[in-house]
Amino acid sequence: MNVVTIERKILEKNDEVARQNRALFEKSHVFTINLLSSPGSGKTSLLECVLEELKGRLNIAVIEGDVHTDLDAQRVARYGVPVVQIVTHGGCHLEAKLVQDALTHLPLQETQVLFIENVGNLVCPANYDLGEARKVVVISTTEGEDKPLKYPAMFRNSHILIINKIDLLPHLSLRLEDLKRNALDVNPSLRVFETSCVTNEGIREVCDWLLGQDSSKS
Ligand code: MG
Ligand code: ZN
């Protein structure tokens, strides 16, 4: 058995569990977001901004994926939302089975939106379906214009692109229009938001989009 065959079998197994997760989310009317980025793009900070903005308006739960530590889960828990930390012990992506196990610790029936913050990594998380309704990829303005071209699978598989740390633009040589064009060249249907967790710019727009996705419970 060659390596490619083994990898395909792992992905097929993952896809089967992801289907089970997706069925559970649909049955429980939970809109699930797989939040993806390289390390340090501001996924947890964005979550904090969204939790602050939507306090009392939307029942949100969070699954945190990290290689080590539960630091991000501790940050999120301060907002009083249910949160489960998955520690991968070196694993560089979340798999559907890890999410399935975490779900047993969350009050799905009362949850409207579930965020799954994936391990910071622009490579393999793109290939692992977790059962989410939407993949949201975050890139910060400090990462350069070329990332969509270097990591096309991540941008091709995502529905939403959030360009974060927009407040830093005056200090950077980044050409924002080039970054956007590169992302849209890879995936013309990407919806793009621009945000700052320092000035709160763009957070309202992201929250309005989220509120528009919520299907049922109130
Ligand atoms: Mg984080
Ligand atoms: Zn990986």
Side-chain angles (χ1 to χ4, degrees):
M1 192 186 281
N2 64 32
V3 173
V4 174
T5 309
I6 294 169
E7 191 178 286
R8 196 176 65 229
K9 287 203 162 163
I10 291 171
L11 286 172
E12 280 170 2
K13 178 96 177 37
N14 184 77
D15 284 347
E16 172 52 31
V17 180
R19 270 192 289 276
Q20 295 167 12
N21 288 350
R22 187 164 283 116
L24 179 61
F25 294 141
E26 282 170 10
K27 190 174 75 144
S28 313
H29 303 288
V30 176
F31 183 74
T32 302
I33 288 172
N34 186 356
L35 195 54
L36 303 146
S37 80
S38 54
S41 301
K43 294 187 296 303
T44 313
S45 296
L46 273 169
L47 261 178
E48 290 179 296
C49 290
V50 166
L51 290 170
E52 180 65 31
E53 177 81 16
L54 292 178
K55 221 166 19 187
R57 295 165 67 195
L58 203 59
N59 292 339
I60 297 175
V62 178
I63 294 174
E64 282 290 341
D66 272 297
V67 176
H68 294 285
T69 82
D70 62 354
L71 293 172
D72 285 357
Q74 289 180 37
R75 283 169 64 183
V76 167
R78 286 192 210 114
Y79 293 82
V81 298
V83 53
V84 178
Q85 176 77 53
I86 298 172
V87 177
T88 63
H89 299 290
C92 48
H93 58 267
L94 290 181
E95 294 178 18
K97 183 73 178 83
L98 292 169
V99 171
Q100 188 173 54
D101 293 344
L103 291 176
T104 62
H105 302 283
L106 289 173
L108 282 189
Q109 295 311 318
E110 289 103 69
T111 300
Q112 292 167 289
V113 172
L114 170 66
F115 282 99
I116 304 170
E117 183 180 334
N118 216 308
V119 177
N121 177 355
L122 283 179
V123 187
C124 41
N127 300 324
Y128 286 82
D129 183 10
L130 303 180
E132 72 277 342
R134 296 286 185 276
K135 282 184 168 70
V136 174
V137 59
V138 181
I139 187 165
S140 73
T141 53
T142 56
E143 291 173 68
E145 300 91 355
D146 56 354
K147 292 303 170 290
L149 305 177
K150 287 186 167 179
Y151 304 95
M154 182 60 78
F155 292 81
R156 197 179 303 123
N157 293 350
S158 293
H159 307 84
I160 304 282
L161 167 64
I162 297 180
I163 302 174
N164 193 29
K165 306 190 187 180
I166 211 84
D167 53 291
L168 293 179
L169 278 177
H171 310 286
L172 303 170
S173 59
L174 180 92
R175 293 175 303 274
L176 183 61
E177 290 312 312
D178 289 357
L179 170 58
K180 283 197 256 190
R181 183 167 8 86
N182 288 341
L184 292 170
D185 279 350
V186 170
N187 179 357
S189 62
L190 264 180
R191 171 141 186 212
V192 183
F193 293 97
E194 298 170 20
T195 58
S196 163
C197 298
V198 176
T199 65
N200 230 38
E201 183 180 344
I203 298 299
R204 170 87 53 83
E205 284 77 4
V206 172
C207 290
D208 284 347
W209 171 76
L210 260 180
L211 288 165
Q213 302 305 314
D214 172 47
S215 51
S216 57
K217 285 173 245 173
S218 54

